[in-house]
Amino acid sequence: MSRPACALREAARLLATATERAHAGTGRMVLLRGATGTGRTTVLEAAAEDAAARGMQVLRARCSAGDSAIPFAAVRQLFCPAIEFADPSWDGDERATGVGLRRVLRAYAEQSPLLITVDDVHLADPASRRWLVESARLLDRLPIVLAATERSQYDVDPPAQGLAHSLSPALVTTHTLTRLADNSAVEAVRSVFPDADDSWIADCVRASAGNPLLLRALLDDLSDGGHPVVPDTSAALYPGAFSAAVQWWLDCAGPGTAEVARTLAILDEGWDHGPARSAAFRVLHVPSLLAELSGADPARVAGWITAMTGLGLLRPDGMGRPRYAHPLLRDEMLTGVPAARRRTAHRTTAEAMLHRGVCSELVARQLLLTDVVDAPWALPVLQDAASLALREGHIEDAVAFLRRALDEPLSDESRQRLLTELGSLEYGVPGSSAAILRLTEALRLPGPPQERVRAAVALGTALTGRGRTSAGVEVLRSLYDALADRPDLVRILRQAFLQLSDNDQLVRQEAYKRLAEVAGHSPETISTAGHAYLVKYAVAAGLSSAKEAMLRLRGLLAEPADPLSEPYLLGTVAAVAQWADELDEAERLVERGLAGQRPDFLHPMHDSLLNTRKDIVAARADYPRLLAEPLPAAASPTNAHAHALTALVETGRTAEAERLAEAFDLRTAPDSWELNRFLYARGGLRAANGDLAGALHDFLECGRRQSAREVFSPVVTPWRTAAAECHLALGVPREALALAEEELRLARVWNTPRTVGRALRVLGTATGGRRGLELTQEAVRLLRSGPAGPEIVAALLALGRQLTASGESSRARDPLREAAELAERLGAVRLRDLAEEALRAGGARRRATRTGVASLTDSERRIAELAAGGRTNAEIADLLHLARRTVETHLTHSYRKLGIHRRSALSTALTGGDAAYGSLVGDRHT
């Protein structure tokens, strides 16, 4: 690779001007200065070749540190061809020798103009330097150009004064060569790799810092084209030109600079694990720390950092820390530094930072790269850093700190607690398989009873989450006898047992049978959470009404709560409240329960609370939110997958729904309530696609599994009405009628508008005739008093279809148009299309609907006005006695209707009124 001409143009022009003056009889000294690798020698060689081509005599010398003790070593290289100096006495009087040498110089100049080039004059021996300075004072009267190159890089060890220090500026033309400009560096890379993409080229420029020497060496190593990315380590490069160039750069810089450069590279390693908080970083002054670690002058270190940043080798990160421009460059700085020395340096760095008051996270990042410290301060630093990372939501960082903490000497109690925390966190890290091993080890340690219970609960939860429910609950049961003298802890184990048992049919039946027996003869021995589980079981079995269940559960919430039992109580009541359509109350309970959860303790109620939160969002038909959150990576379908599948179907994204459904082989999925939920959702997809036989199979299989678990109530999964609709479509009304009647019977036990209304709707369709119409009308009336959602849309659609079928098409239009409008507001594309299809079948079309402000409900407009007035969501929720999520849902709907995307646009949208924002949107079908 040749350096672009544009980078040499100015230096070449200066030398060309000087040689022209020499031809005219007037000489000049030209001093080319620059950092290592900026091309000083390249420019000098080009000038010598050009001068020789123009008929000038050329004398050359190249200085080296090894010759610095030999008097006139550099000058000897210039004049060794001279006959009169074939055997001079170089060790004689320096002044006399210098005078003699200048006579020879004049003799050369009398023959023809002369160019003298001295490369790396900063390495010249003192006698040669003095002779060159004295000679430079005579050049303006001779046809001689003295061109010298001098290294002018800022080093930690102060350099000697430059060659031109004692010369008048009138006698010397000085030019400083700099690093390549980014655009020039990019052109240089593209000239060698014309097809490379921009990011690869940018990496090359960063790794070389725009230094011509480093860039040329890097491109030589990459010339085989076998590097789709620029490597981060020197080991990935061959034949090693880049490594040699960096080592040359360090050698030229001297031992002081090399030590600081390598120490900074060691520090930089400890900053690789993600950004720290900038507020905590302000107390770390990198130059003084570097100076302390390397034994250098702090002022010189600060100057060196500034200079290297200007040269592009260092770049400040987002917090102002000087870091190497590319990992490859840093790795090369560490070449030859033994691993043991690096680990020792990281420990020294950590301790120095700790004494300087640097935050624990930055100190801990250095400890990640050390051996065991075995000092009192190390463990607290790592644990505090892990806690900080957790508060910031950086789970993987917390895991790294706790893993490192395990290397330190620990008591059995401390190790047990640490293993439980680490295993709990590792369970949530994708791809980690260490969680169960950590938790098993924690449980085996002889710690205090409460720590053993924490370990057992976490291990049981982890095993259950991996599909091993029997093993998970057996872990809990194994401690009952050992903790017989601690009934409070045994109660915690039993509550965890009940929660985890929901994942296995046989275990669940055994657990609730035992709980019911104890409640029958010793109810006082059961905690409030245990009684809540019994209420939930009765609800799922179809044995309780919503009013009775919520009355009982609110009473339990009012009782004094054991802090260890409270999560189980809150999660259980939240689930039942969601079934009862008490969505705001359910949401408050979920948020309260999640607020009490610790991310470093794997708790059985955590996933349950998250699932209830997801159920609440689904009950509100907030499809955008259901689809916005990423789905968990799981081998078997979860509740989140089931809701996402339903949301995709309802919003008309059937192709995506099919891909999601096909992602799981349900034949190998472990039996669980989440599998039943997914079966129901897949049935909905198949029904929407016209595969009625497949849909019926899924609904009936869901029902079979639910019944085997003694879950009969339609509040969990209304499979009977779904199966009944399939039977009707397949022309088997008798089975449809039986299923719908059974669901209505169970729904009336629970007695909420959503469950009863759904059952009435399907029963009305199955019954047909005047009686069927009456049932469907009752369903519509009842559902109007419940949460606005797809059930009221489906009921209106069923009513319209029945009216059309009975010959009352004109009466059918209003419910069908209302169904279409409600579906539009909900984003329920499937139901909207069905309503519009029913309208067309009856000879009508969808009535033009108004968008904008006029389309807002009273609640939506009130909340939008408060938000436009500057109120936060939390303030609006408190003012209107609503859950914060309810406020967010209403605002989401309002944004969609108003055609805006930001809160700041609310005020304009609301004040614009119908004239500006109430455009008429007619039916697309005429």
Side-chain angles (χ1 to χ4, degrees):
M1 183 196 81
S2 61
R3 192 179 183 196
C6 61
L8 306 176
R9 191 174 300 142
E10 181 63 17
R13 185 186 65 78
L14 290 172
L15 286 168
T17 300
T19 55
E20 288 174 4
R21 292 180 61 181
H23 280 285
T26 301
R28 188 75 174 171
M29 177 178 176
V30 178
L31 183 61
L32 300 178
R33 308 177 78 239
T36 300
T38 50
R40 303 186 311 267
T41 301
T42 300
V43 175
L44 201 62
E45 292 294 330
E49 292 175 7
D50 181 66
R54 296 174 63 179
M56 294 183 72
Q57 300 178 84
V58 179
L59 302 180
R60 303 187 189 190
R62 178 167 294 163
C63 307
S64 67
D67 294 337
S68 62
I70 303 174
F72 292 107
V75 179
R76 293 186 201 206
Q77 294 183 53
L78 295 174
F79 295 114
C80 62
I83 296 176
E84 57 268 42
F85 283 95
D87 188 24
S89 177
W90 294 99
D91 297 330
D93 178 67
E94 179 180 325
R95 183 174 181 81
T97 302
V99 170
L101 289 171
R102 274 187 285 279
R103 284 199 302 270
V104 176
L105 184 65
R106 289 177 182 275
Y108 268 100
E110 288 172 357
Q111 298 175 19
S112 66
L114 176 64
L115 172 66
I116 301 175
T117 68
V118 183
D119 198 13
D120 290 338
V121 72
H122 56 283
L123 298 177
D125 62 278
S128 293
R129 286 172 61 85
R130 286 189 289 269
W131 185 86
L132 289 169
V133 169
E134 290 301 318
S135 300
R137 292 191 172 100
L138 308 174
L139 294 182
D140 59 341
R141 298 187 294 274
L142 297 170
I144 301 175
V145 176
L146 172 57
T149 68
E150 184 176 69
R151 183 175 178 276
S152 62
Q153 186 170 303
Y154 190 102
D155 293 320
V156 173
D157 295 326
Q161 291 179 339
L163 182 66
H165 174 71
S166 61
L167 291 174
S168 167
L171 300 175
V172 183
T173 298
T174 301
H175 179 74
T176 300
L177 293 171
T178 61
R179 65 186 291 270
L180 291 172
D182 285 348
N183 60 338
S184 297
V186 168
E187 289 175 13
V189 179
R190 200 172 290 285
S191 69
V192 180
F193 297 96
D195 298 326
D197 61 56
D198 292 344
S199 63
W200 190 88
I201 292 175
D203 262 1
C204 287
V205 174
R206 285 178 53 224
S208 65
N211 182 289
L213 170 69
L214 300 184
L215 182 58
R216 180 169 59 249
L218 178 61
L219 295 182
D220 285 346
D221 283 344
L222 298 175
S223 60
D224 63 358
H227 295 85
V229 296
V230 177
D232 286 349
T233 63
S234 57
L237 286 178
Y238 182 81
F242 186 73
S243 182
V246 173
Q247 294 311 305
W248 168 255
W249 187 95
L250 286 170
D251 290 343
C252 291
T257 297
E259 178 65 19
V260 171
R262 289 177 172 130
T263 303
L264 177 58
I266 292 171
L267 273 177
D268 197 339
E269 277 187 312
W271 296 334
D272 254 0
H273 299 270
R277 260 55 55 190
S278 57
F281 173 72
R282 293 192 186 107
V283 298
L284 176 60
H285 187 250
V286 174
S288 61
L289 178 61
L290 261 180
E292 178 182 343
L293 296 172
S294 61
D297 178 358
R300 296 295 300 180
V301 171
W304 179 81
I305 289 174
T306 301
M308 294 306 101
T309 303
L311 288 175
L313 274 82
L314 301 180
R315 293 188 178 191
D317 64 9
M319 302 177 328
R321 293 178 299 192
R323 304 195 64 178
Y324 283 97
H326 193 276
L328 176 62
L329 187 57
R330 182 189 68 195
D331 188 67
E332 290 293 359
M333 293 290 175
L334 291 172
T335 298
V337 180
R341 180 195 165 188
R342 286 157 72 168
R343 291 194 296 269
T344 301
H346 283 298
R347 174 187 171 146
T348 304
T349 300
E351 196 161 7
M353 291 168 70
L354 182 69
H355 292 157
R356 289 168 175 266
V358 175
C359 78
S360 59
E361 183 194 8
L362 290 177
V363 178
R365 291 196 185 285
Q366 297 296 326
L367 291 179
L368 292 177
L369 301 169
T370 65
D371 292 324
V372 175
V373 174
D374 194 11
W377 55 269
L379 185 61
V381 162
L382 289 162
Q383 290 177 315
D384 188 56
S387 297
L388 177 61
L390 284 179
R391 288 198 296 273
E392 297 288 335
H394 300 162
I395 303 297
E396 293 189 2
D397 284 349
V399 167
F401 293 137
L402 292 182
R403 283 175 179 168
R404 174 60 183 82
L406 278 179
D407 296 336
E408 296 296 319
L410 297 165
S411 66
D412 283 345
E413 180 178 347
S414 296
R415 180 170 291 276
Q416 185 176 58
R417 184 182 306 110
L418 190 58
L419 284 166
T420 301
E421 293 174 0
L422 179 55
S424 296
L425 293 177
E426 286 179 325
Y427 179 80
V429 175
S432 174
S433 59
I436 291 176
L437 293 176
R438 305 272 196 205
L439 296 170
T440 301
E441 182 184 351
L443 184 60
R444 289 173 179 167
L445 290 173
Q450 189 157 328
E451 290 302 326
R452 295 196 69 199
V453 168
R454 280 163 51 87
V457 169
L459 178 56
T461 304
L463 288 168
T464 301
R466 296 289 189 259
R468 299 165 59 188
T469 304
S470 296
V473 296
E474 187 56 39
V475 165
L476 303 175
R477 188 157 38 196
S478 67
L479 293 184
Y480 288 176
D481 292 339
L483 297 173
D485 59 337
R486 291 294 304 271
D488 56 327
L489 296 180
V490 173
R491 277 198 298 271
I492 299 303
L493 291 171
R494 292 189 186 280
Q495 289 164 13
F497 187 105
L498 285 167
Q499 182 59 39
L500 297 179
S501 72
D502 264 352
N503 294 278
D504 185 277
Q505 172 186 326
L506 296 177
V507 176
R508 181 178 185 274
Q509 290 174 345
E510 176 194 348
Y512 279 96
K513 179 181 178 181
R514 173 62 180 160
L515 180 64
E517 289 174 355
V518 175
H521 60 76
S522 302
E524 71 282 355
T525 63
I526 299 177
S527 66
T528 52
H531 286 289
Y533 276 110
L534 286 173
V535 173
K536 181 183 176 184
Y537 186 86
V539 170
L543 303 174
S544 175
S545 70
K547 183 177 180 180
E548 292 168 347
M550 291 307 298
L551 182 63
R552 175 70 175 124
L553 291 174
R554 289 184 179 117
L556 293 172
L557 283 172
E559 294 181 13
D562 174 6
L564 295 177
S565 298
E566 187 176 45
Y568 299 97
L569 177 61
L570 292 173
T572 304
V573 178
V576 177
Q578 183 269 319
W579 289 342
D581 290 338
E582 301 285 351
L583 301 184
D584 290 346
E585 182 172 359
E587 188 169 46
R588 284 193 293 269
L589 291 168
V590 166
E591 300 308 321
R592 181 178 158 192
L594 289 173
Q597 294 282 304
R598 289 180 50 181
D600 56 348
F601 175 44
L602 194 56
H603 198 285
M605 284 309 302
H606 185 259
D607 282 349
S608 177
L609 289 163
L610 292 179
N611 278 321
T612 300
R613 176 194 273 173
K614 189 77 69 174
D615 293 344
I616 294 168
V617 176
R620 289 176 172 143
D622 191 350
Y623 302 128
R625 187 177 170 201
L626 284 173
L627 297 174
E629 298 176 6
L631 293 174
S636 300
T638 67
N639 187 46
H641 291 105
H643 282 309
L645 184 56
T646 298
L648 289 170
V649 171
E650 294 302 323
T651 53
R653 296 159 63 177
T654 53
E656 294 174 67
E658 287 169 359
R659 287 195 294 272
L660 177 56
E662 292 168 359
F664 299 101
D665 184 355
L666 303 191
R667 295 170 299 180
T668 61
D671 183 30
S672 72
W673 68 270
E674 291 184 287
L675 173 59
N676 299 345
R677 182 78 50 96
F678 194 80
L679 273 169
Y680 180 83
R682 192 179 70 174
L685 168 64
R686 287 176 166 177
N689 285 341
D691 180 10
L692 297 173
L696 180 60
H697 172 272
D698 281 347
F699 293 138
L700 292 177
E701 179 63 14
C702 173
R704 185 190 66 78
R705 291 170 176 269
Q706 292 284 70
S707 299
R709 295 167 58 84
E710 298 180 347
V711 175
F712 304 113
S713 175
V715 300
V716 179
T717 309
W719 62 271
R720 294 177 186 84
T721 46
E725 289 183 294
C726 290
H727 277 307
L728 285 173
L730 290 169
V732 191
R734 180 175 298 177
E735 284 80 354
L737 195 60
L739 286 168
E741 287 174 341
E742 177 63 10
E743 178 134 326
L744 180 59
R745 183 188 69 79
L746 291 165
R748 290 201 185 278
V749 174
W750 183 238
N751 202 30
T752 59
R754 193 153 50 119
T755 52
V756 176
R758 181 195 303 115
L760 284 170
R761 167 180 62 83
V762 177
L763 182 58
T765 302
T767 302
R770 181 171 296 278
R771 177 56 183 159
L773 188 59
E774 291 172 353
L775 290 170
T776 307
Q777 288 171 330
E778 183 184 352
V780 170
R781 287 194 300 270
L782 193 59
L783 286 166
R784 288 191 189 281
S785 63
E791 287 301 338
I792 181 62
V793 178
L796 289 165
L797 177 58
L799 178 59
R801 283 172 168 170
Q802 287 177 269
L803 289 170
T804 300
S806 64
E808 299 184 69
S809 298
S810 59
R811 286 185 59 199
R813 292 172 185 171
D814 285 344
L816 290 174
R817 284 170 175 160
E818 184 181 357
E821 291 166 11
L822 284 173
E824 184 77 42
R825 292 182 187 178
L826 291 171
V829 175
R830 183 184 70 85
L831 289 172
R832 182 203 64 194
D833 290 347
L834 290 174
E836 292 178 348
E837 181 183 338
L839 276 168
R840 289 194 301 273
R845 64 183 179 86
R846 181 174 163 192
R847 185 170 54 219
T849 57
R850 190 171 291 279
T851 61
V853 178
S855 68
L856 300 180
T857 66
D858 291 342
S859 295
E860 288 168 349
R861 178 153 189 165
R862 174 63 174 148
I863 290 171
E865 287 173 344
L866 290 170
R871 302 267 190 173
T872 66
N873 289 1
E875 289 171 342
I876 296 170
D878 290 341
L879 184 65
L880 301 181
H881 306 290
L882 297 172
R884 183 172 178 175
R885 185 61 63 195
T886 301
V887 173
E888 293 172 355
T889 299
H890 280 308
L891 283 174
T892 299
H893 292 165
S894 298
Y895 289 173
R896 183 169 61 243
K897 293 176 182 180
L898 294 171
I900 61 175
H901 301 285
R902 295 185 301 275
R903 198 183 193 95
S904 58
L906 267 175
S907 181
T908 302
L910 291 171
T911 56
D914 291 345
Y917 296 93
S919 61
L920 291 177
V921 182
D923 191 0
R924 295 167 296 169
H925 312 289
T926 57

